[in-house]
Amino acid sequence: AVHNHLLYVLNASGNRNITGFHILADGHLQKIDNSTREVEGNQFDVGASTIAFSPDGRNIAVSERLTNKLSVYKVKPDGTTDDPIVSPSIGQTPFGIYFTPQGTLLVSEAFQEKQGAVSSYSINSYGLLNPISRSVPTQGLNTCWVVTTGDGHVAIASNPNSDSLSSFLVSPSGILSYVSTIWLGSAIVPLDIATTRNSHYLYVLNARAGSIS
């Protein structure tokens, strides 16, 4: 996850943690001293999946799909973070996380590879998450990733187990409204997704096909 000159990585195996780096002017990385923070429940595999910065750079969020928890790390002026503030996920198997430009946190929920959903949250000044929309169904299976258009008004989620993409409208206050689901074809298995900066194009990593569309 990147915000301005800060880069934070999520180490999901072994010594599970987040660790920060400064991005120098020449593109090199410089590790930030004392930036490593354990993922909550590091003594066992929590299924740490995705990391993201809030738009203002004050928070880092991490999803934990095996414990159904979401962690928020407050970012300090020196680039280090506090220990995580942990909130329960509304839906099962939270996987992908994405902040809208307005600061709403969207979380895709795989529901253990069953009917997927997306929830939305606000973050208070302490780092606790407050649900806005609760597990709005995608009409797809094993929902894993979610992104928005540049203005944050439309969210798109990928459903690998049903070879489909689902779209939602996102209100200024973060309320999700399901729009539609499109089928991409047989055995595509869409995984990670991303929009271009002008939101004119959506790129999809097709795992089974070994391609990008």
Side-chain angles (χ1 to χ4, degrees), residues 6-212:
L6 286 180
L7 165 69
Y8 261 84
V9 297
L10 171 63
N11 300 300
S13 299
N15 184 20
R16 304 170 185 89
N17 59 62
I18 64 169
T19 298
F21 299 83
H22 286 300
I23 304 173
L24 305 181
D26 61 2
H28 285 83
L29 299 178
Q30 182 182 67
K31 185 179 178 181
I32 301 172
D33 291 340
N34 196 36
S35 65
T36 298
R37 296 288 182 271
E38 288 187 351
V39 172
E40 193 270 339
N42 181 48
Q43 68 272 20
F44 59 93
D45 187 3
V46 298
S49 301
T50 313
I51 184 172
F53 267 104
S54 61
D56 60 9
R58 295 179 180 178
N59 299 292
I60 296 172
V62 171
S63 59
E64 301 174 10
R65 70 182 187 279
L66 298 183
T67 57
N68 297 320
K69 294 180 180 178
L70 301 165
S71 293
V72 173
Y73 301 77
K74 305 291 291 183
V75 181
K76 300 178 182 179
D78 64 358
T80 63
T81 71
D82 290 329
D83 289 330
I85 302 299
V86 181
S87 298
S89 171
I90 292 301
Q92 294 181 24
T93 326
F95 195 96
I97 56 177
Y98 195 91
F99 281 97
T100 71
Q102 294 77 20
T104 299
L105 178 64
L106 304 183
V107 180
S108 59
E109 300 159 349
F111 276 89
Q112 298 178 346
E113 303 185 6
K114 298 178 182 178
Q115 174 70 57
V118 178
S119 292
S120 59
Y121 303 82
S122 62
I123 301 179
N124 68 20
S125 59
Y126 300 104
L128 289 172
L129 296 177
N130 301 307
I132 302 172
S133 290
R134 297 171 177 262
S135 297
V136 182
T138 61
Q139 310 303 324
L141 302 177
N142 193 28
T143 304
C144 285
W145 277 270
V146 61
V147 298
T148 72
T149 51
D151 58 12
H153 295 164
V154 176
I156 302 167
S158 63
N159 309 302
N161 286 22
S162 54
D163 297 315
S164 63
L165 299 175
S166 300
S167 60
F168 301 81
L169 295 179
V170 187
S171 77
S173 61
I175 297 172
L176 296 171
S177 300
Y178 171 79
V179 176
S180 65
T181 297
I182 60 170
W183 185 60
L184 302 179
S186 180
I188 297 295
V189 190
L191 294 181
D192 208 353
I193 52 179
T195 57
T196 56
R197 290 189 177 183
N198 61 13
S199 300
H200 289 175
Y201 298 97
L202 173 74
Y203 292 103
V204 182
L205 175 62
N206 305 312
R208 184 69 57 84
S211 64
I212 296 175

